[in-house]
Amino acid sequence: MNNHLKLWCMTGFVVITIALWMVLASAAHGADPPHTSGNFPMISIGMDKAKGPEDVSVVIQIFALLTILSIAPAILIMMTSFTRFIIVLSLLRQAMGTQQMPPNQILIGLAMFLTFYVMTPVWQNINQNALQPFMEKKISSDQAITAALVPVRTFMYKQIREKDLALFVEIAGLKRPNTPADVPTMVMIPAFIISELKTAFELGFLLFIPFLIIDMVVSSILLSMGMMMLPPVMISLPFKLLLFVLVDGWRLIVGSLVKGFI
């Protein structure tokens, strides 16, 4: 499939190059290029002197916005509740032994919408106190960024473990902070990430226990009956699914995950 993709890309590149060469050759000889009877838009990129400081400021803001959009997936994954959700759901699938069911697309979609649900109050706060005043030109861009970081930092600080925060404060060589406002954002982010990873693995361990007990019981029964050639997974999987459905597992797990951030 990669070879076919490379072939199509090379073919497209050659066709575009020949077309551009024909247009330039026709223009050099004073002839109209072929198939130019209609009006086609023209895109031009150029550089000119700025008329004032505000022009330079707008360009810098555009580059800053493009930079933020390029790292938006990392922000969504690592600075929200998405990390905990997707790890716990993946460990749940492994504990049940259902292989690729539910598929990765379902797990990622569920984790993403749960993240939107949990992070909605934070984003509403950002929109109300930072984005809208900035769009109405009531505050500057620096003030908008500062106001937008406040609810995000508050959300992350509630989930950070004290030991993890102390680790990165020590690595950064900073003094012991007295208040959360004294903790730099670049120190709070990695502390939040490893705290989420630890919490997710703790929840995953608790999820493994009941399914592990079922596997042990089924394996012991099969061994006592002399059915050593029969894979225990084939027998334990229906019981795992039955247990998960009887206890309404999805409601319990999703409810516990969401309530952990409230």
Side-chain angles (χ1 to χ4, degrees):
M1 184 175 181
N2 293 333
N3 294 331
H4 290 294
L5 181 59
K6 292 180 181 179
L7 179 61
W8 279 107
C9 292
M10 293 178 61
T11 304
F13 178 77
V14 172
V15 171
I16 293 174
T17 304
I18 294 175
L20 290 176
W21 178 79
M22 292 177 62
V23 171
L24 293 175
S26 300
H29 291 287
D32 294 334
H35 305 292
T36 56
S37 58
N39 295 324
F40 297 96
M42 182 180 66
I43 300 175
S44 62
I45 300 175
M47 298 179 62
D48 200 355
K49 293 182 178 180
K51 298 180 180 179
E54 62 277 1
D55 294 338
V56 180
S57 177
V58 171
V59 174
I60 294 176
Q61 292 178 8
I62 292 174
F63 277 107
L65 178 60
L66 293 176
T67 303
I68 293 175
L69 291 177
S70 64
I71 62 175
I75 295 175
L76 175 63
I77 293 174
M78 306 307 298
M79 296 178 61
T80 63
S81 58
F82 182 84
T83 301
R84 185 186 302 185
F85 289 153
I86 192 61
I87 291 178
V88 172
L89 293 176
S90 299
L91 291 177
L92 171 64
R93 183 175 64 182
Q94 293 183 12
M96 295 179 63
T98 55
Q99 302 300 326
Q100 295 298 323
M101 293 300 295
N104 291 330
Q105 294 84 348
I106 302 298
L107 294 184
I108 294 174
L110 177 58
M112 186 173 296
F113 279 103
L114 290 176
T115 302
F116 292 157
Y117 180 82
V118 171
M119 300 299 297
T120 294
V122 178
W123 293 337
Q124 288 177 347
N125 194 336
I126 295 174
N127 180 65
Q128 181 178 356
N129 298 325
L131 182 59
Q132 293 302 325
F134 176 73
M135 298 294 292
E136 296 173 0
K137 298 183 179 180
K138 294 181 180 179
I139 59 176
S140 63
S141 58
D142 294 337
Q143 293 174 334
I145 294 175
T146 303
L149 283 175
V150 172
V152 177
R153 286 170 53 89
T154 303
F155 169 79
M156 290 193 299
Y157 188 78
K158 291 181 179 179
Q159 310 300 327
I160 294 177
R161 300 172 186 267
E162 184 177 354
K163 292 182 179 180
D164 298 332
L165 184 60
L167 171 64
F168 287 97
V169 169
E170 180 182 356
I171 293 175
L174 302 176
K175 295 182 180 179
R176 182 183 178 90
N178 297 322
T179 61
D182 298 334
V183 181
T185 303
M186 291 297 101
V187 173
M188 188 175 293
I189 292 176
F192 170 78
I193 293 173
I194 64 173
S195 296
E196 285 295 286
L197 290 174
K198 183 176 181 179
T199 303
F201 277 95
E202 288 178 350
L203 295 175
F205 170 75
L206 296 177
L207 288 175
F208 261 92
I209 293 177
F211 299 112
L212 180 61
I213 294 175
I214 294 178
D215 286 333
M216 294 176 62
V217 171
V218 171
S219 299
S220 300
I221 294 175
L222 292 178
L223 184 61
S224 63
M225 297 177 63
M227 298 181 179
M228 293 179 293
M229 301 301 295
L230 181 63
V233 178
M234 296 182 60
I235 307 300
S236 62
L237 180 57
F239 290 101
K240 291 179 181 179
L241 295 177
L242 179 61
L243 173 64
F244 193 73
V245 172
L246 290 178
V247 300
D248 200 0
W250 288 114
R251 183 184 64 84
L252 292 176
I253 293 174
V254 172
S256 300
L257 289 173
V258 173
K259 291 178 182 178
F261 291 97
I262 298 176

